[in-house]
Amino acid sequence: MITIGSAPDSWGVWFADDPAQTPADRFFTEVKAAGYDWIELGPYGYLPKDPVALQEALEAHGLRVSAGTVFSALHRPDSWDAVWQQVTDVASLTRAVGGQHIVVIPDLYRHHKTGENLESPTLTAEQWRKLTTDTDELGRRILEEYGLHVQFHSHADSHVGYQRDIERFLADTDPRYVNLCLDTGHVAYYGGDSLELIRRYPERIGYLHLKQVDPEIAKQVEAEDLVFPEAVRRGVMCEPPNGVPDLGAVLDAVGTLDRDLYAIVEQDMYPCEPERPLPIARRTHTYLAGCSGAPISLGSPS
């Protein structure tokens, strides 16, 4: 069964606290109204950090949590303590409300506003080795100490963005402790093929983020070397079914893996007008309900 939910990201939420974002109460109400029963926590602090308060809010809206998110820079020296401090907060809260996964997103090598390179886009052999071995250790400790599974999320403007990077990362990490959050949008952003990744690495697909890329805007990204937030402002992550890849084909392929998975809808659109997310979320829910022959669990709009 593929259990499909949504996330704060689809409501324009990138930060724990930002007046440009949809308030958490409105997110809870609207994500349920769109038809979803499952969510991710989003950036730590956007939803209540107190587990009792969070559980009460979830129950009040009929929602459940699949995962929390941690941002990492494990290729850098002396990065472990800062990452683990995030884990102690995020993993504790995720476990307390019944989540099963931690999505690990690598830090970006470019400034999210100016586009300036903060470090080289290419890691040295030593940096790559540190990234992979420390991610293995992170996954091992999170599993043993919190009972949660690490799903690594490739990302635009990070050192694991292109399909070749994803494949190298999978080759150099331990499937007992680290698997792939297959984000269909971030794979397509750099011209990758989600279906090929599913076919070649079926045992490493541990979690899904469902999104599409506008191929014409993706061409602008390449031609102008756009920083990811500027690409988002131009609409590179578009409403299904208007982009690539074909999410029905992705769900069909994942449906053959013979195991339960979560698939979380994400449509990056920070910043966005407060009235924009809900109609898109409703239409996306309708599209996903009928685009695939795979066994899916999808709530009903209210």
Side-chain angles (χ1 to χ4, degrees), residues 35-114:
Y36 299 103
D37 296 333
W38 290 82
I39 61 168
E40 288 183 351
L41 294 180
Y44 179 71
Y46 172 66
L47 301 182
K49 293 189 284 188
D50 176 74
V52 174
L54 177 57
Q55 187 61 50
E56 289 176 351
L58 293 168
E59 291 177 359
H61 292 88
L63 295 168
R64 300 175 69 184
V65 168
S66 60
T69 301
V70 168
F71 295 87
S72 70
L74 290 172
H75 65 285
R76 297 178 190 152
D78 304 320
S79 58
W80 179 267
D81 288 348
V83 174
W84 191 253
Q85 181 56 57
Q86 284 187 71
V87 168
T88 60
D89 294 330
V90 176
S92 296
L93 184 60
T94 302
R95 181 178 63 180
V97 294
Q100 300 179 34
H101 301 275
I102 295 294
V103 176
V104 175
I105 300 178
D107 271 1
L108 310 189
Y109 59 77
R110 299 210 288 192
H111 192 280
H112 72 283
K113 290 185 178 178
T114 67

Side-chain angles (χ1 to χ4, degrees), residues 141-152:
R141 286 192 59 182
I142 288 175
L143 181 61
E144 292 180 357
E145 298 183 28
Y146 294 95
L148 305 175
H149 301 277
V150 161
Q151 312 296 342
F152 188 85

Side-chain angles (χ1 to χ4, degrees), residues 97-168:
V97 294
Q100 300 179 34
H101 301 275
I102 295 294
V103 176
V104 175
I105 300 178
D107 271 1
L108 310 189
Y109 59 77
R110 299 210 288 192
H111 192 280
H112 72 283
K113 290 185 178 178
T114 67
E116 175 189 6
N117 276 13
L118 302 174
E119 56 187 321
S120 171
T122 304
L123 298 181
T124 66
E126 181 179 352
Q127 288 174 316
W128 182 266
R129 187 163 49 251
K130 186 177 186 304
L131 168 66
T132 54
T133 57
D134 279 18
T135 305
D136 277 344
E137 178 65 6
L138 188 73
R140 183 190 68 79
R141 286 192 59 182
I142 288 175
L143 181 61
E144 292 180 357
E145 298 183 28
Y146 294 95
L148 305 175
H149 301 277
V150 161
Q151 312 296 342
F152 188 85
H153 183 307
S154 67
H155 202 286
D157 286 354
S158 83
H159 296 103
V160 187
Y162 287 88
Q163 185 162 331
R164 63 178 180 267
D165 305 322
I166 298 169
E167 294 184 2
R168 182 185 179 195

Side-chain angles (χ1 to χ4, degrees), residues 277-291:
L278 179 56
I280 292 175
R282 289 186 191 274
R283 292 191 296 266
T284 301
H285 185 281
T286 299
Y287 164 71
L288 292 172
C291 73

